[in-house]
């Protein structure tokens, strides 16, 4: 099969879906799914009209995604904007769907990707970004997962760990501001916490509450991104912070530490500081050491480098950063920040500009661009 033909047809098919009423992002995602299907089907059964075939399959996938999105939004309108404290309310079927999609016949990574796409309402691009893989790779993973479960009876729900991973990624996508999913993720995690005493469920709920407590302070009146150090802590929701700390302390008391508890402990230390200068960075580094030990996550190592830079000085942070893959998302932005703290404004300005080019969201891109402009203005004085 000629993959070059697929790439040539892609813009045309996206255009057709757009004229039929699909927005660009949804059309692009549907065409990506159709291309994955073409890679699977065409070698054995090439179509007489490749463009027509792609339009038909892509439009069907767009409609499927639109129906799933409509169902998800209908569930969300039943949720109040503020996640209420305490146990979850009446349990709907959404959490059960999460468990069903986390089927034992799938690997955990494939189950998470499938659930995010089919139930969580995230696009293939968003899921790929969360997994730090190319969009085409994630599209193929989701397609394989669909084929795996296409003839399977969904009578064996998946495990809690896989569902937690899905809820964590759904919350992160909502927290980033790209999609409003944070409240829904908290609601479902409350329901799960009410049904089980799993310490990592409590850890995840605490983490969500502590992060969500800062939501009003994350952006300024003009929509600009506000960094943690610059946030007005008077805007933080002390009720959610108190609940998150209580949930976390109860989980830690069981002495079965997991990654979500460790992340929540970091968030709790930030919440406990009355000012950015009072942040206990030494303890935060210790918690990141635990997180790295538990997960060996490159993202955890990147965050640890920032914490080391705050606790032990910028050069120590740069040394911790130097052993990490420069292709890691936010690596360049972290390097810029640490170089600025070390007094190297020229290097920091250049790196901020580079980081802006690969930023995952418009607010982040604008923030990094402003940082570069601020330093360049100082250099010209």
């Amino acid at each position: 099969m000629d993959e070059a033909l697929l790439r040539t047809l892609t813009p045309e098919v996206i255009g057709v879906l757009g004229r039929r009423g699909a927005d660009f992002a949804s059309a692009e995602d549907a065409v990506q799914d159709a291309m994955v299907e073409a890679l699977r089907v065409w070698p054995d059964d090439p179509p007489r009209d490749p463009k027509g075939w792609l339009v038909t399959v892509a439009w069907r996938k767009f409609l499927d995604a639109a129906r799933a999105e409509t169902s998800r939004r209908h569930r969300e309108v039943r949720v109040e904007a503020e996640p209420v404290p305490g146990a979850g309310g009446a349990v709907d079927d959404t959490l059960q769907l999460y468990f069903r999609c986390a089927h034992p016949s799938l690997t955990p990574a494939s189950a998470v990707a499938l659930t995010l796409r089919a139930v969580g309402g995230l696009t293939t691009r968003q899921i790929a970004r969360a997994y730090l893989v190319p969009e085409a790779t994630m599209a193929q993973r989701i397609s394989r997962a669909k084929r795996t479960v296409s003839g399977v009876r969904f009578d064996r729900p998946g495990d809690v760990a896989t569902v937690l991973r899905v809820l964590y990624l759904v919350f992160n996508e909502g927290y980033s501001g790209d999609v409003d999913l944070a409240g829904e993720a908290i609601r479902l995690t409350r329901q799960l916490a009410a049904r089980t005493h799993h310490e990592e469920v409590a850890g995840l709920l605490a983490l969500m509450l502590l992060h969500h407590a800062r939501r009003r302070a994350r952006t300024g009146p003009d929509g600009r991104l506000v960094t943690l150090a610059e946030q007005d802590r008077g805007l933080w929701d002390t009720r959610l912070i108190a609940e998150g700390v209580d949930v976390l302390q109860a989980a830690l008391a069981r002495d079965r530490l997991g990654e979500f508890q460790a992340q929540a402990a970091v968030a709790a230390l930030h919440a406990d500081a009355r000012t950015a200068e009072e942040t206990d960075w030494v303890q935060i580094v210790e918690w990141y050491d635990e997180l790295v030990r538990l997960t060996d996550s490159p993202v955890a190592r990147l965050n640890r480098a920032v914490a080391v830079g705050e606790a032990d000085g910028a050069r120590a942070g740069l040394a911790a950063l130097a052993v990490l893959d420069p292709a890691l998302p936010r690596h360049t932005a972290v390097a810029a920040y640490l170089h600025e703290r070390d007094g190297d404004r020229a290097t920091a300005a250049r790196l901020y500009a580079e980081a802006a080019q690969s930023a995952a969201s418009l607010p982040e891109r604008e923030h990094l661009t402003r940082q570069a402009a601020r330093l360049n203005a100082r250099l010209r004085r």
Side-chain angles (χ1 to χ4, degrees):
M1 181 187 60
D2 189 353
E3 295 187 22
L5 174 62
L6 282 175
R7 289 193 295 270
T8 301
L9 291 173
T10 295
E12 297 181 41
V13 178
I14 290 175
V16 172
L17 266 60
R19 290 192 291 275
R20 291 185 179 183
D23 63 273
F24 180 80
S26 299
E28 192 176 37
D29 202 54
V31 173
Q32 179 66 60
D33 286 346
M35 288 177 65
V36 172
E37 187 71 7
L39 290 170
R40 183 180 69 86
V41 173
W42 285 12
D44 297 323
D45 186 18
R48 285 177 293 182
D49 179 8
K51 179 181 175 181
W53 189 98
L54 282 172
V55 168
T56 300
V57 174
W59 181 247
R60 184 173 68 245
K61 290 185 179 295
F62 166 75
L63 293 177
D64 289 344
R67 283 192 288 267
E69 174 68 8
T70 299
S71 297
R72 181 182 67 78
R73 291 193 181 279
H74 284 168
R75 293 193 296 270
E76 286 184 1
V77 297
R78 299 196 297 267
V79 185
E80 294 182 2
E82 293 290 333
V84 296
V91 178
D92 60 26
D93 63 350
T94 308
L95 190 60
Q96 188 64 21
L97 286 174
Y98 275 61
F99 273 96
R100 295 298 185 189
C101 285
H103 197 272
S105 63
L106 296 172
T107 65
S110 295
V112 170
L114 177 62
T115 312
L116 289 171
R117 188 73 180 89
V119 186
L122 273 63
T123 66
T124 304
R125 177 176 299 171
Q126 291 166 330
I127 302 168
R129 189 172 66 230
Y131 269 93
L132 310 181
V133 299
E135 183 178 354
T137 300
M138 183 53 64
Q140 291 175 357
R141 183 180 300 176
I142 294 171
S143 181
R144 285 195 299 269
K146 290 178 180 178
R147 291 199 301 272
T148 299
V149 300
S150 61
V152 172
R153 286 176 56 86
F154 281 80
D155 55 357
R156 292 186 298 152
D159 64 0
V160 171
T162 301
V163 173
L164 285 180
R165 178 62 51 188
V166 175
L167 290 170
Y168 174 66
L169 292 174
V170 168
F171 176 81
N172 280 346
E173 195 60 49
Y175 181 74
S176 73
D178 217 20
V179 183
D180 185 15
L181 294 172
E184 172 73 352
I186 291 174
R187 182 181 74 88
L188 293 172
T189 306
R190 286 193 190 284
Q191 289 185 3
L192 188 56
R195 294 165 57 177
T196 177
H197 293 292
H198 195 294
E199 56 280 346
E200 275 292 81
V201 175
L204 179 58
L205 178 58
L207 175 64
M208 289 179 173
L209 295 172
L210 290 164
H211 277 310
H212 206 58
R214 302 199 299 261
R215 70 201 179 283
R216 289 177 56 205
R218 292 200 308 269
T219 54
D222 57 357
R224 289 188 176 189
L225 180 68
V226 180
T227 63
L228 178 59
E230 297 171 331
Q231 287 177 12
D232 178 358
R233 299 184 180 220
L235 295 176
W236 290 2
D237 190 326
T238 55
R239 176 180 60 85
L240 286 181
I241 290 173
E243 183 188 359
V245 169
D246 287 344
V247 171
L248 174 62
Q249 288 177 339
L252 292 174
R254 301 173 198 169
D255 198 25
R256 296 183 61 184
L257 184 64
E259 62 173 299
F260 295 126
Q261 295 169 73
Q263 289 188 59
V266 171
L269 286 167
H270 283 299
D272 188 54
R274 290 177 297 177
T275 65
E277 293 72 24
E278 295 179 56
T279 304
D280 191 342
W281 287 106
V282 173
Q283 272 205 69
I284 289 177
V285 171
E286 292 173 354
W287 277 111
Y288 274 124
D289 287 339
E290 290 289 348
L291 189 58
V292 168
R293 179 183 63 81
L294 289 165
T295 66
D296 196 28
S297 162
V299 175
R301 290 183 180 276
L302 183 69
N303 291 332
R304 180 185 178 278
V306 176
V308 169
E310 299 287 355
D312 300 327
R315 293 195 179 183
L318 287 168
L321 186 67
V323 300
L324 302 180
D325 184 356
L328 190 65
R330 293 184 58 245
H331 184 284
T332 306
V334 169
Y337 173 74
L338 292 173
H339 275 290
E340 181 181 0
R341 279 187 54 98
D342 195 39
D344 187 351
R345 291 178 178 175
T347 299
R350 175 177 57 79
L351 291 172
Y352 275 131
E354 289 180 12
Q357 295 176 4
S358 58
S361 66
L362 181 59
E364 184 181 357
R365 183 180 308 122
E366 291 176 343
H367 168 73
L368 293 168
T369 300
R370 287 193 299 270
Q371 295 293 84
R374 172 180 57 83
L375 291 180
N376 282 324
R378 290 184 182 181
L379 289 168
R380 287 193 294 267
R381 290 174 188 170

